[in-house]
Amino acid sequence: MDFAPRLAPSIHRVGTESAFEVLGRAQRLADAGRDIINLGIGQPDFRTPDHIVEAGVKALRDGAHGYTPANGLPALRRAVAADLEARHGAPVDPDCVVVVPGGKPTMFFAMLMFGEPGAEILYPNPGFPIYESAIRYSGATPVAVPLTADNGFALDADAVLDRITPATRLIVLNSPANPTGGVTPKDQIDRLVSGLEAHPHVAILSDEIYSRMLYGGRTHTSLLTYPQIRNRLILLDGWSKTYAMTGWRLGYAVWPEALVEHAVRLCINDHSCVNAAAQHAGIAALTGPQTAVDEMMAAFDARRRAIVERLNALPGVTCTDAAGAFYAFPDIRGTGLGARTLQDRLLEEAGVATVAGTSFGAHGEGYLRLSYANSLDNIHTALDRIAEFLETRAP
Ligand code: PLP
């Protein structure tokens, strides 16, 4: 007899991250012999620096094969606290640091803690798709805070404050941002934090996973530096992007004291702990030389300048100066093609993988995300192909 699963309705509310689907399609085309340049996936194309890999290998050789404390090795949590203090100048208690497998679990945990039917959670749109997906899964109502190209996709504090209601439980912030590369300037964060004083019931999840990836002399303002909101701030960061460690599955959050216990319980229920060798590698990353990070950033910056210039030279395309992360988010409305159509046709006809802006929310229509985590040569070849496509085949 056929199995007719009686699923909880919430499972049908889970969304996805289309970049992974594009990656799968690009891989299938490449396996079939097509030459595909991948500007779709959001991961550094660099290898994890050698000294970090060696620390992981050594940990395995030395017998780090068992469980660790659910919140992470004490030495790793101390290293995280020291790194945050050094970078942001804000004190961090290692006991408030919870190490998790990547950046994503913290989002999910925050939504599980705050989301339920009737609750509202604010999130950036276009934004990282897992925010909206996890909010919907929790049963809460996602309230989009639109980001627009006119201010380089920076968050507008008033756009957030205007959307707060008595039902608002949590607001999600992300700077530097995926998919736009937008960076929220300090004056907007100041304004937001002072506006939040009138809303003491609202918690904040600040996703700062790209906090070391800014260009053109811009600086990062961490929400950690505002003592007045520390008792309701969840700070998300990790190793994936900064140290080219996406596959190691290593991230962390600094939780407010009142929530640490709940976060650790969710870890125990969900994954017990992060694998021990990855945690040892994480210590080496934070405490070892940072030259590889600086070299990666210099390479990203050169690519960023090249891709923005090339995009602005395309017919029907304009692109803001991408300020952070490693994404360009051009306005493609002048091409006469919708975001999804252009994504699909560029993949099929030009052999270039990109991600439609609509994969990041309804406000992403008319935009395309190109990740410049690829070599300069490949970026130029991809842009040659896109130019040829737009000049000869579109719409
Ligand atoms: N937050 C943002 C804004 C991201 O873009 C990503 C990954 O693309 C993550 C979090 C998740 O990172 P991880 O791979 O460590 O789970």
Side-chain angles (χ1 to χ4, degrees), residues 102-104 107 128 131 174 178 207 209-210 240-241 249:
K104 280 177 177 169
M107 291 170 206
F128 189 52
Y131 305 143
N174 174 218
N178 179 4
D207 181 344
I209 201 147
Y210 296 102
S240 295
K241 316 289 176 176
R249 306 314 300 141

Side-chain angles (χ1 to χ4, degrees), residues 313-355:
L314 294 174
V317 177
T318 54
C319 186
T320 57
D321 183 35
F326 40 72
Y327 308 107
F329 201 62
D331 180 341
I332 49 97
R333 284 173 293 183
T335 65
L337 294 170
R340 182 62 203 253
T341 307
L342 187 56
Q343 169 203 287
D344 290 346
R345 289 190 61 189
L346 286 177
L347 181 60
E348 300 290 337
E349 298 175 39
V352 180
T354 61
V355 184

Side-chain angles (χ1 to χ4, degrees), residues 48-121:
T48 305
D50 286 345
H51 72 281
I52 301 175
V53 175
E54 286 311 317
V57 171
K58 180 172 184 309
L60 286 174
R61 290 223 175 88
D62 289 351
H65 302 167
Y67 294 124
T68 74
N71 55 349
L73 291 167
L76 180 58
R77 290 186 290 104
R78 283 196 300 272
V80 167
D83 174 62
L84 289 171
E85 287 192 34
R87 289 197 290 127
H88 306 313
V92 172
D93 179 352
D95 287 340
C96 290
V97 174
V98 178
V99 176
V100 281
K104 280 177 177 169
T106 297
M107 291 170 206
F108 212 71
F109 290 180
M111 302 316 171
L112 290 179
M113 279 186 214
F114 288 96
E116 63 174 323
E120 293 174 4
I121 298 180

Side-chain angles (χ1 to χ4, degrees), residues 31-260:
D31 290 347
R34 289 280 308 278
D35 173 21
I36 304 291
I37 298 178
N38 196 337
L39 304 184
I41 192 73
Q43 72 174 335
D45 54 318
F46 301 102
R47 288 167 57 100
T48 305
D50 286 345
H51 72 281
I52 301 175
V53 175
E54 286 311 317
V57 171
K58 180 172 184 309
L60 286 174
R61 290 223 175 88
D62 289 351
H65 302 167
Y67 294 124
T68 74
N71 55 349
L73 291 167
L76 180 58
R77 290 186 290 104
R78 283 196 300 272
V80 167
D83 174 62
L84 289 171
E85 287 192 34
R87 289 197 290 127
H88 306 313
V92 172
D93 179 352
D95 287 340
C96 290
V97 174
V98 178
V99 176
V100 281
K104 280 177 177 169
T106 297
M107 291 170 206
F108 212 71
F109 290 180
M111 302 316 171
L112 290 179
M113 279 186 214
F114 288 96
E116 63 174 323
E120 293 174 4
I121 298 180
L122 275 53
Y123 72 104
N125 188 326
F128 189 52
I130 302 308
Y131 305 143
E132 185 177 343
S133 165
I135 296 168
R136 286 193 191 284
Y137 177 74
S138 77
T141 304
V143 178
V145 177
L147 302 177
T148 53
D150 51 11
N151 63 353
F153 298 102
L155 187 89
D156 173 32
D158 289 333
V160 178
L161 295 168
D162 290 350
R163 286 171 172 78
I164 294 178
T165 73
T168 308
R169 298 271 180 90
L170 177 72
I171 58 178
V172 182
L173 308 174
N174 174 218
S175 177
N178 179 4
T180 61
V183 170
T184 303
K186 183 171 184 309
D187 65 322
Q188 289 302 312
I189 303 178
D190 288 348
R191 193 176 169 82
L192 178 67
V193 170
S194 71
L196 283 173
E197 273 169 35
H199 306 288
H201 63 291
V202 176
I204 305 132
L205 169 63
S206 184
D207 181 344
E208 301 184 14
I209 201 147
Y210 296 102
S211 58
R212 289 185 66 180
M213 301 191 146
L214 287 90
Y215 310 97
R218 292 174 179 88
T219 50
H220 177 68
T221 304
S222 174
L223 271 286
L224 274 182
T225 57
Y226 296 83
Q228 61 273 50
I229 50 155
R230 284 291 293 270
N231 64 351
R232 48 181 164 141
L233 172 70
I234 305 159
L235 182 281
L236 181 163
D237 203 333
W239 288 259
S240 295
K241 316 289 176 176
T242 311
Y243 297 101
M245 291 180 71
T246 50
W248 293 74
R249 306 314 300 141
L250 189 63
Y252 65 83
V254 180
W255 290 83
E257 225 170 273
L259 299 183
V260 176

